[in-house]
Short mmCIF file of all heavy atoms in Angstrom, two decimals:
data_model
loop_
_atom_site.label_atom_id
_atom_site.label_comp_id
_atom_site.label_asym_id
_atom_site.label_seq_id
_atom_site.Cartn_x
_atom_site.Cartn_y
_atom_site.Cartn_z
N ALA Y 1 167.37 100.58 116.38
CA ALA Y 1 167.51 99.16 116.15
C ALA Y 1 166.31 98.41 116.77
O ALA Y 1 165.84 97.40 116.23
CB ALA Y 1 168.83 98.68 116.66
N VAL Y 2 165.82 98.81 117.95
CA VAL Y 2 164.77 98.20 118.59
C VAL Y 2 163.46 98.23 117.75
O VAL Y 2 162.67 97.21 117.58
CB VAL Y 2 164.52 98.77 120.00
CG1 VAL Y 2 163.25 98.12 120.63
CG2 VAL Y 2 165.71 98.49 120.93
N ALA Y 3 163.26 99.42 117.26
CA ALA Y 3 162.03 99.60 116.41
C ALA Y 3 162.16 98.68 115.18
O ALA Y 3 161.11 98.11 114.81
CB ALA Y 3 161.89 101.19 115.97
N ASP Y 4 163.30 98.70 114.53
CA ASP Y 4 163.40 97.84 113.33
C ASP Y 4 163.26 96.34 113.70
O ASP Y 4 162.70 95.63 112.97
CB ASP Y 4 164.85 98.10 112.76
CG ASP Y 4 164.97 99.45 112.07
OD1 ASP Y 4 163.95 100.07 111.86
OD2 ASP Y 4 166.10 99.83 111.79
N PHE Y 5 163.84 95.96 114.80
CA PHE Y 5 163.73 94.56 115.24
C PHE Y 5 162.27 94.14 115.32
O PHE Y 5 161.92 93.01 114.77
CB PHE Y 5 164.40 94.44 116.65
CG PHE Y 5 164.33 93.06 117.21
CD1 PHE Y 5 165.30 92.09 116.81
CD2 PHE Y 5 163.34 92.73 118.11
CE1 PHE Y 5 165.19 90.83 117.38
CE2 PHE Y 5 163.33 91.47 118.64
CZ PHE Y 5 164.20 90.50 118.29
N TYR Y 6 161.44 94.90 115.99
CA TYR Y 6 159.97 94.54 116.07
C TYR Y 6 159.30 94.64 114.83
O TYR Y 6 158.42 93.71 114.48
CB TYR Y 6 159.36 95.22 117.21
CG TYR Y 6 159.78 94.84 118.59
CD1 TYR Y 6 160.67 95.55 119.36
CD2 TYR Y 6 159.29 93.67 119.18
CE1 TYR Y 6 161.01 95.13 120.58
CE2 TYR Y 6 159.67 93.19 120.37
CZ TYR Y 6 160.57 93.92 121.12
OH TYR Y 6 160.91 93.49 122.32
N GLU Y 7 159.57 95.64 114.07
CA GLU Y 7 158.85 95.84 112.76
C GLU Y 7 159.09 94.70 111.87
O GLU Y 7 158.23 94.26 111.08
CB GLU Y 7 159.24 97.16 112.09
CG GLU Y 7 158.58 98.25 112.71
CD GLU Y 7 159.08 99.69 112.21
OE1 GLU Y 7 160.17 99.69 111.52
OE2 GLU Y 7 158.48 100.64 112.35
N GLN Y 8 160.37 94.11 111.84
CA GLN Y 8 160.69 93.01 110.95
C GLN Y 8 160.04 91.66 111.44
O GLN Y 8 160.10 90.71 110.69
CB GLN Y 8 162.21 92.83 110.94
CG GLN Y 8 162.84 94.04 110.26
CD GLN Y 8 164.40 94.04 110.46
OE1 GLN Y 8 164.98 93.06 110.98
NE2 GLN Y 8 165.05 95.12 110.11
N ASN Y 9 159.48 91.65 112.69
CA ASN Y 9 158.87 90.36 113.14
C ASN Y 9 157.41 90.55 113.58
O ASN Y 9 156.94 89.90 114.45
CB ASN Y 9 159.77 89.94 114.35
CG ASN Y 9 159.62 88.47 114.65
OD1 ASN Y 9 159.44 87.67 113.66
ND2 ASN Y 9 159.68 88.06 115.89
N ARG Y 10 156.75 91.57 112.87
CA ARG Y 10 155.37 91.80 113.12
C ARG Y 10 155.07 92.07 114.62
O ARG Y 10 153.97 91.72 115.14
CB ARG Y 10 154.49 90.70 112.57
CG ARG Y 10 154.44 90.53 111.03
CD ARG Y 10 153.22 89.74 110.67
NE ARG Y 10 151.98 90.39 110.84
CZ ARG Y 10 150.98 89.92 111.56
NH1 ARG Y 10 151.05 88.74 112.24
NH2 ARG Y 10 149.85 90.62 111.67
N PHE Y 11 156.00 92.75 115.27
CA PHE Y 11 155.78 93.24 116.70
C PHE Y 11 155.61 92.10 117.63
O PHE Y 11 155.15 92.36 118.83
CB PHE Y 11 154.67 94.23 116.64
CG PHE Y 11 154.75 95.34 115.74
CD1 PHE Y 11 154.05 95.30 114.55
CD2 PHE Y 11 155.71 96.29 115.95
CE1 PHE Y 11 154.14 96.37 113.60
CE2 PHE Y 11 155.78 97.41 114.96
CZ PHE Y 11 155.06 97.32 113.84
N ALA Y 12 156.01 90.91 117.32
CA ALA Y 12 155.87 89.80 118.23
C ALA Y 12 156.78 89.96 119.39
O ALA Y 12 157.92 90.35 119.29
CB ALA Y 12 156.18 88.44 117.50
N PRO Y 13 156.32 89.65 120.60
CA PRO Y 13 157.27 89.73 121.77
C PRO Y 13 158.35 88.72 121.65
O PRO Y 13 158.11 87.50 121.07
CB PRO Y 13 156.31 89.39 122.95
CG PRO Y 13 155.14 88.69 122.34
CD PRO Y 13 154.98 89.24 121.03
N ALA Y 14 159.59 89.04 121.99
CA ALA Y 14 160.74 88.19 121.80
C ALA Y 14 161.09 87.38 123.04
O ALA Y 14 161.83 86.41 122.88
CB ALA Y 14 161.92 89.15 121.40
N TRP Y 15 160.75 87.85 124.27
CA TRP Y 15 161.32 87.22 125.44
C TRP Y 15 160.16 86.51 126.19
O TRP Y 15 159.76 86.84 127.24
CB TRP Y 15 161.95 88.32 126.29
CG TRP Y 15 163.04 89.04 125.55
CD1 TRP Y 15 162.87 90.18 124.81
CD2 TRP Y 15 164.33 88.64 125.33
NE1 TRP Y 15 164.02 90.56 124.25
CE2 TRP Y 15 164.94 89.57 124.60
CE3 TRP Y 15 165.12 87.46 125.86
CZ2 TRP Y 15 166.35 89.49 124.11
CZ3 TRP Y 15 166.39 87.39 125.49
CH2 TRP Y 15 166.98 88.44 124.66
N THR Y 16 159.72 85.47 125.60
CA THR Y 16 158.61 84.71 126.12
C THR Y 16 158.97 83.39 126.82
O THR Y 16 158.23 82.77 127.51
CB THR Y 16 157.48 84.39 125.03
OG1 THR Y 16 158.22 83.66 123.95
CG2 THR Y 16 156.97 85.69 124.50
N ARG Y 17 160.25 82.96 126.55
CA ARG Y 17 160.77 81.68 127.12
C ARG Y 17 161.64 81.98 128.27
O ARG Y 17 162.66 82.81 128.17
CB ARG Y 17 161.49 80.89 126.08
CG ARG Y 17 160.57 80.48 124.91
CD ARG Y 17 161.25 79.54 123.96
NE ARG Y 17 162.52 80.00 123.45
CZ ARG Y 17 163.21 79.32 122.46
NH1 ARG Y 17 162.74 78.24 121.93
NH2 ARG Y 17 164.47 79.89 122.05
N PRO Y 18 161.39 81.35 129.41
CA PRO Y 18 162.26 81.62 130.57
C PRO Y 18 163.75 81.40 130.37
O PRO Y 18 164.58 82.15 130.88
CB PRO Y 18 161.70 80.61 131.64
CG PRO Y 18 160.31 80.35 131.20
CD PRO Y 18 160.31 80.35 129.71
N GLY Y 19 164.12 80.46 129.52
CA GLY Y 19 165.55 80.14 129.32
C GLY Y 19 166.23 81.27 128.63
O GLY Y 19 167.37 81.57 128.93
N ASP Y 20 165.57 81.86 127.67
CA ASP Y 20 166.15 83.01 126.94
C ASP Y 20 166.35 84.15 127.92
O ASP Y 20 167.46 84.83 127.89
CB ASP Y 20 165.27 83.49 125.83
CG ASP Y 20 165.13 82.47 124.73
OD1 ASP Y 20 166.06 81.60 124.60
OD2 ASP Y 20 164.08 82.50 124.03
N LEU Y 21 165.43 84.52 128.76
CA LEU Y 21 165.56 85.52 129.76
C LEU Y 21 166.68 85.24 130.80
O LEU Y 21 167.52 86.13 131.17
CB LEU Y 21 164.25 85.73 130.51
CG LEU Y 21 163.27 86.71 129.91
CD1 LEU Y 21 161.96 86.65 130.67
CD2 LEU Y 21 163.85 88.07 129.79
N ASP Y 22 166.77 83.99 131.22
CA ASP Y 22 167.88 83.65 132.14
C ASP Y 22 169.26 83.88 131.46
O ASP Y 22 170.19 84.45 132.12
CB ASP Y 22 167.81 82.19 132.47
CG ASP Y 22 166.55 81.94 133.45
OD1 ASP Y 22 166.09 82.87 134.00
OD2 ASP Y 22 166.13 80.74 133.49
N GLN Y 23 169.44 83.52 130.23
CA GLN Y 23 170.63 83.79 129.48
C GLN Y 23 170.95 85.25 129.37
O GLN Y 23 172.09 85.69 129.45
CB GLN Y 23 170.62 83.15 128.05
CG GLN Y 23 170.71 81.59 128.16
CD GLN Y 23 170.83 80.97 126.79
OE1 GLN Y 23 171.79 81.33 126.04
NE2 GLN Y 23 169.92 80.18 126.36
N LEU Y 24 169.85 86.01 129.01
CA LEU Y 24 170.10 87.47 128.85
C LEU Y 24 170.52 88.09 130.19
O LEU Y 24 171.57 88.79 130.19
CB LEU Y 24 168.78 88.14 128.37
CG LEU Y 24 168.82 89.67 128.25
CD1 LEU Y 24 169.82 90.11 127.32
CD2 LEU Y 24 167.43 90.21 128.01
N LEU Y 25 169.86 87.76 131.31
CA LEU Y 25 170.19 88.30 132.56
C LEU Y 25 171.65 88.01 132.97
O LEU Y 25 172.39 88.85 133.48
CB LEU Y 25 169.18 87.96 133.64
CG LEU Y 25 167.77 88.48 133.38
CD1 LEU Y 25 166.87 87.99 134.42
CD2 LEU Y 25 167.73 90.06 133.45
N ALA Y 26 172.01 86.67 132.74
CA ALA Y 26 173.40 86.23 133.02
C ALA Y 26 174.36 87.05 132.21
O ALA Y 26 175.48 87.37 132.64
CB ALA Y 26 173.55 84.80 132.82
N ALA Y 27 174.03 87.16 130.82
CA ALA Y 27 174.99 87.90 129.99
C ALA Y 27 175.21 89.38 130.32
O ALA Y 27 176.24 89.87 130.40
CB ALA Y 27 174.52 87.84 128.54
N LEU Y 28 174.09 89.95 130.90
CA LEU Y 28 174.21 91.44 131.33
C LEU Y 28 174.93 91.47 132.52
O LEU Y 28 175.71 92.48 132.76
CB LEU Y 28 172.70 91.92 131.53
CG LEU Y 28 171.84 92.12 130.22
CD1 LEU Y 28 170.48 92.67 130.58
CD2 LEU Y 28 172.49 92.96 129.17
N ARG Y 29 174.83 90.52 133.51
CA ARG Y 29 175.59 90.54 134.66
C ARG Y 29 177.11 90.38 134.31
O ARG Y 29 178.01 91.10 134.93
CB ARG Y 29 175.29 89.41 135.63
CG ARG Y 29 174.05 89.73 136.39
CD ARG Y 29 173.77 88.67 137.54
NE ARG Y 29 173.46 87.34 136.98
CZ ARG Y 29 172.27 86.94 136.71
NH1 ARG Y 29 171.16 87.70 136.94
NH2 ARG Y 29 172.05 85.70 136.27
N ASP Y 30 177.39 89.60 133.26
CA ASP Y 30 178.78 89.29 132.95
C ASP Y 30 179.49 90.45 132.24
O ASP Y 30 180.72 90.51 132.20
CB ASP Y 30 178.79 88.09 131.99
CG ASP Y 30 180.15 87.46 131.75
OD1 ASP Y 30 180.89 87.46 132.75
OD2 ASP Y 30 180.50 87.08 130.70
N VAL Y 31 178.75 91.43 131.69
CA VAL Y 31 179.45 92.58 131.06
C VAL Y 31 180.25 93.32 132.05
O VAL Y 31 181.18 94.15 131.70
CB VAL Y 31 178.47 93.49 130.25
CG1 VAL Y 31 177.76 92.72 129.18
CG2 VAL Y 31 177.59 94.29 131.21
N ALA Y 32 179.97 93.20 133.38
CA ALA Y 32 180.91 93.83 134.33
C ALA Y 32 182.34 93.29 134.25
O ALA Y 32 183.24 94.09 134.44
CB ALA Y 32 180.39 93.50 135.72
N GLY Y 33 182.48 92.19 133.73
CA GLY Y 33 183.82 91.57 133.50
C GLY Y 33 184.54 92.28 132.31
O GLY Y 33 185.71 92.03 132.08
N ASP Y 34 183.74 93.05 131.48
CA ASP Y 34 184.30 93.77 130.33
C ASP Y 34 184.54 95.25 130.75
O ASP Y 34 184.90 96.04 129.92
CB ASP Y 34 183.37 93.79 129.16
CG ASP Y 34 183.11 92.36 128.69
OD1 ASP Y 34 182.18 91.67 129.21
OD2 ASP Y 34 183.87 91.95 127.81
N GLY Y 35 184.35 95.59 132.03
CA GLY Y 35 184.51 96.94 132.46
C GLY Y 35 183.37 97.86 132.26
O GLY Y 35 183.39 99.10 132.41
N LEU Y 36 182.20 97.25 131.79
CA LEU Y 36 180.95 97.94 131.57
C LEU Y 36 180.01 97.84 132.82
O LEU Y 36 180.28 97.00 133.65
CB LEU Y 36 180.27 97.42 130.39
CG LEU Y 36 180.97 97.59 129.07
CD1 LEU Y 36 180.32 96.65 127.87
CD2 LEU Y 36 181.13 99.00 128.61
N ASP Y 37 179.01 98.65 132.91
CA ASP Y 37 178.14 98.72 134.03
C ASP Y 37 176.80 98.00 133.60
O ASP Y 37 176.13 98.54 132.73
CB ASP Y 37 177.85 100.15 134.43
CG ASP Y 37 176.94 100.25 135.65
OD1 ASP Y 37 176.53 99.17 136.15
OD2 ASP Y 37 176.76 101.35 136.13
N PRO Y 38 176.48 96.91 134.21
CA PRO Y 38 175.21 96.27 133.89
C PRO Y 38 173.98 97.10 134.00
O PRO Y 38 173.01 96.94 133.36
CB PRO Y 38 175.21 95.08 134.88
CG PRO Y 38 176.65 94.77 135.15
CD PRO Y 38 177.27 96.16 135.18
N GLU Y 39 174.08 98.16 134.93
CA GLU Y 39 172.90 99.01 135.13
C GLU Y 39 172.70 99.94 133.87
O GLU Y 39 171.57 100.52 133.76
CB GLU Y 39 173.03 99.83 136.39
CG GLU Y 39 172.99 98.99 137.60
CD GLU Y 39 171.74 98.17 137.61
OE1 GLU Y 39 170.57 98.73 137.30
OE2 GLU Y 39 171.76 96.96 137.96
N ASP Y 40 173.70 100.02 133.03
CA ASP Y 40 173.51 100.81 131.77
C ASP Y 40 172.41 100.12 130.88
O ASP Y 40 171.87 100.75 129.99
CB ASP Y 40 174.74 100.91 130.97
CG ASP Y 40 175.59 102.09 131.44
OD1 ASP Y 40 175.08 103.00 131.98
OD2 ASP Y 40 176.90 102.10 131.15
N TYR Y 41 172.19 98.78 131.22
CA TYR Y 41 171.21 98.05 130.42
C TYR Y 41 170.00 97.61 131.29
O TYR Y 41 169.24 96.74 130.91
CB TYR Y 41 171.94 96.77 129.89
CG TYR Y 41 173.31 97.18 129.26
CD1 TYR Y 41 174.47 96.91 130.04
CD2 TYR Y 41 173.45 97.96 128.16
CE1 TYR Y 41 175.71 97.29 129.62
CE2 TYR Y 41 174.70 98.42 127.76
CZ TYR Y 41 175.84 98.08 128.49
OH TYR Y 41 177.04 98.47 127.99
N GLY Y 42 169.86 98.32 132.39
CA GLY Y 42 168.66 98.17 133.19
C GLY Y 42 168.54 96.79 133.87
O GLY Y 42 167.51 96.22 134.02
N LEU Y 43 169.69 96.24 134.20
CA LEU Y 43 169.73 94.85 134.79
C LEU Y 43 168.78 94.76 136.04
O LEU Y 43 168.02 93.84 136.14
CB LEU Y 43 171.18 94.49 135.16
CG LEU Y 43 171.24 93.09 135.86
CD1 LEU Y 43 170.74 91.98 135.00
CD2 LEU Y 43 172.72 92.83 136.32
N SER Y 44 168.89 95.75 136.93
CA SER Y 44 168.05 95.63 138.20
C SER Y 44 166.58 95.66 137.80
O SER Y 44 165.78 94.97 138.39
CB SER Y 44 168.45 96.77 139.12
OG SER Y 44 169.78 96.61 139.64
N GLU Y 45 166.23 96.55 136.94
CA GLU Y 45 164.82 96.66 136.55
C GLU Y 45 164.30 95.40 135.86
O GLU Y 45 163.24 94.96 136.17
CB GLU Y 45 164.61 97.91 135.66
CG GLU Y 45 163.16 98.15 135.23
CD GLU Y 45 162.19 98.52 136.43
OE1 GLU Y 45 162.76 98.80 137.51
OE2 GLU Y 45 161.02 98.47 136.27
N LEU Y 46 165.11 94.84 135.01
CA LEU Y 46 164.74 93.61 134.30
C LEU Y 46 164.65 92.46 135.34
O LEU Y 46 163.67 91.63 135.30
CB LEU Y 46 165.84 93.19 133.26
CG LEU Y 46 165.71 94.09 132.04
CD1 LEU Y 46 167.00 93.79 131.15
CD2 LEU Y 46 164.40 93.97 131.21
N GLN Y 47 165.48 92.39 136.34
CA GLN Y 47 165.42 91.38 137.36
C GLN Y 47 164.14 91.60 138.17
O GLN Y 47 163.57 90.58 138.55
CB GLN Y 47 166.69 91.37 138.20
CG GLN Y 47 167.90 90.87 137.51
CD GLN Y 47 169.15 90.95 138.38
OE1 GLN Y 47 169.32 91.91 139.13
NE2 GLN Y 47 170.05 89.95 138.17
N ARG Y 48 163.87 92.80 138.47
CA ARG Y 48 162.62 93.05 139.33
C ARG Y 48 161.39 92.71 138.58
O ARG Y 48 160.42 92.18 139.19
CB ARG Y 48 162.54 94.54 139.63
CG ARG Y 48 161.50 95.02 140.61
CD ARG Y 48 161.48 96.50 140.92
NE ARG Y 48 161.02 97.20 139.71
CZ ARG Y 48 159.73 97.37 139.39
NH1 ARG Y 48 158.86 96.87 140.06
NH2 ARG Y 48 159.37 98.05 138.35
#
């Protein structure tokens, strides 16, 4: 799905706006409330 996503958008980077990243990181933290582990999605590495 990641490969398809970039191919369909001429490989343009998707996460260039700070607000989008802030929302993504908040959403990844929030999946703990679903019983999922945010580290499955590399939350610490993305925050770093």
Side-chain angles (χ1 to χ4, degrees):
V2 173
D4 290 347
F5 177 84
Y6 283 105
E7 286 175 340
Q8 293 168 12
N9 205 33
R10 292 197 71 237
F11 307 102
W15 303 93
T16 57
R17 298 189 304 190
D20 294 336
L21 272 174
D22 290 342
Q23 288 187 59
L24 174 63
L25 295 175
L28 294 179
R29 284 191 290 270
D30 195 38
V31 302
D34 299 89
L36 297 170
D37 183 357
E39 289 308 313
D40 277 339
Y41 317 105
L43 176 62
S44 296
E45 183 65 15
L46 289 172
Q47 288 176 326
R48 187 180 70 81

